[in-house]
């Protein structure tokens, strides 16, 4: 398990704050939450770390023992865990809803779609061709972030928390102890924008300084490139993550068609 950095502060006795951070899903994950008990806060931090690590082990193609890695290397149907089976079915629905611009098979040499099929009677999945490669990188962070949010609010009754997955996927529960929301400003220099998160999430897709373009246009198979990053705010971190990825990949003229199924989500270029 990744090591946790943990801090508990009672500097404000009316709102003791706990902070934890650890590395998972190829990024730094930070959680800030209001809780008066230090021992319980440590337990909550460990539960967040354990849940995230468990999901990474189930959904990452980079972990050789994961069901997704086994699926990518087999020409036969492969039995998969519940989270991966559910994710594969959900990702195909999102591919259709985004006119193909969210596609977990975007890295594949083949443009054949559908790229895979699920077999409900056997709880298995199978790729539709040896050149298909499935990658949940544009999905897993949002999926895990919603799971963490539900763990904090549902299991532990946390009302106010900020969850940050690598400065690109962020969720706010309730509000800052000294305000009515969690104000979040993108790390991108000079953006000037502040997003007010209150029981909502934010996902930002785009270029990373010093790193080559990494988002693939599933229609052409080439790297997508835009002058501005795409920020999506709404209730579900998963939907925000999917939409920001799809909108960055899609031509601007396709946006209205993509967004007609997601009217409750706010999109900004930054």
């Amino acid at each position: 398990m990744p090591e946790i950095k943990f801090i508990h502060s009672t500097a404000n006795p009316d709102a003791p704050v706990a902070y934890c951070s650890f590395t998972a899903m190829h990024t730094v994950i930070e959680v800030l939450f209001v809780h008066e008990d230090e021992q319980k806060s440590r337990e909550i931090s460990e539960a967040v770390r354990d849940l995230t690590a468990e999901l990474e082990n189930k959904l990452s193609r980079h972990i050789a023992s994961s069901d997704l890695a086994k699926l990518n290397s087999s020409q036969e149907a492969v039995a998969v865990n519940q989270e991966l089976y559910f994710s594969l079915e959900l990702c195909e629905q999102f591919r259709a809803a985004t006119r193909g611009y969210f596609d977990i098979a975007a890295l594949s040499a083949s443009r054949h779609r559908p790229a895979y099929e699920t077999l409900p009677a056997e709880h298995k999945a199978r790729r539709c061709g040896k050149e298909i490669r499935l990658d949940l990188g544009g999905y897993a962070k949002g999926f895990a972030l919603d799971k963490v949010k539900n763990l904090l609010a549902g299991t532990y009754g946390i009302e106010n928390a900020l969850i940050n997955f690598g400065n690109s996927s962020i969720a706010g529960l309730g509000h800052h102890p000294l305000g009515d929301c969690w104000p979040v400003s993108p790390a991108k220099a000079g953006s000037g924008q502040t997003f007010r998160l209150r029981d909502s999430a934010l996902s930002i897709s785009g270029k990373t300084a010093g790193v080559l373009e990494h988002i693939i246009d599933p229609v052409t198979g080439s790297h997508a490139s835009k002058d501005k990053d795409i920020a999506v705010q709404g209730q579900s971190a998963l939907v925000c993550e999917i939409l920001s990825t799809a909108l960055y990949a899609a031509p601007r003229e396709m946006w209205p068609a993509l967004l007609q199924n997601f009217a409750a989500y706010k999109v900004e270029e930054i």
Side-chain angles (χ1 to χ4, degrees), residues 242-258:
I242 285 168
L243 273 182
S244 67
T245 302
L247 292 170
Y248 191 84
R252 189 68 172 79
E253 60 268 20
M254 288 295 298
W255 284 21
L258 269 66

Side-chain angles (χ1 to χ4, degrees), residues 24-98:
M25 294 188 170
H26 305 284
T27 195
V28 175
I29 295 172
E30 301 174 290
V31 183
L32 180 72
F33 58 95
V34 180
H35 199 286
E36 61 184 19
D37 183 85
E38 181 175 355
Q39 183 176 349
K40 190 68 174 181
S41 295
R42 287 185 181 273
E43 175 190 326
I44 294 169
S45 299
E46 290 175 0
V48 170
R49 185 270 316 272
D50 293 350
L51 172 61
T52 308
E54 178 187 359
L55 291 173
E56 181 177 21
N57 287 332
K58 290 181 176 181
L59 300 177
S60 174
R61 71 178 177 89
H62 300 288
I63 297 176
S65 61
S66 74
D67 287 353
L68 184 58
K70 293 174 184 176
L71 178 60
N72 273 332
S73 63
S74 175
Q75 294 303 304
E76 307 297 327
V78 173
V80 296
N81 61 72
Q82 181 64 36
E83 283 84 358
L84 179 54
Y85 187 89
F86 170 79
S87 296
L88 290 172
E89 291 205 318
L90 189 59
C91 284
E92 185 59 22
Q93 295 177 31
F94 277 118
R95 185 180 73 84
T98 60

Side-chain angles (χ1 to χ4, degrees), residues 146 149 170-172 195-203 231-241 243 262 264-267:
D146 277 340
K149 183 175 63 174
I170 307 162
F195 296 87
R196 296 170 54 84
L197 302 185
R198 183 174 179 125
D199 298 321
S200 62
L202 173 70
S203 176
V232 178
Q233 183 176 353
Q235 183 175 14
S236 167
L238 174 58
V239 175
C240 289
E241 186 81 3
L243 273 182
F262 304 97
Y265 287 78
K266 180 182 178 182
V267 178

Side-chain angles (χ1 to χ4, degrees), residues 149-171:
K149 183 175 63 174
N150 291 338
L151 176 74
L152 293 175
T155 302
Y156 292 104
I158 300 296
E159 295 181 354
N160 302 306
L162 185 68
I163 313 157
N164 179 18
F165 277 42
N167 295 329
S168 62
S169 295
I170 307 162

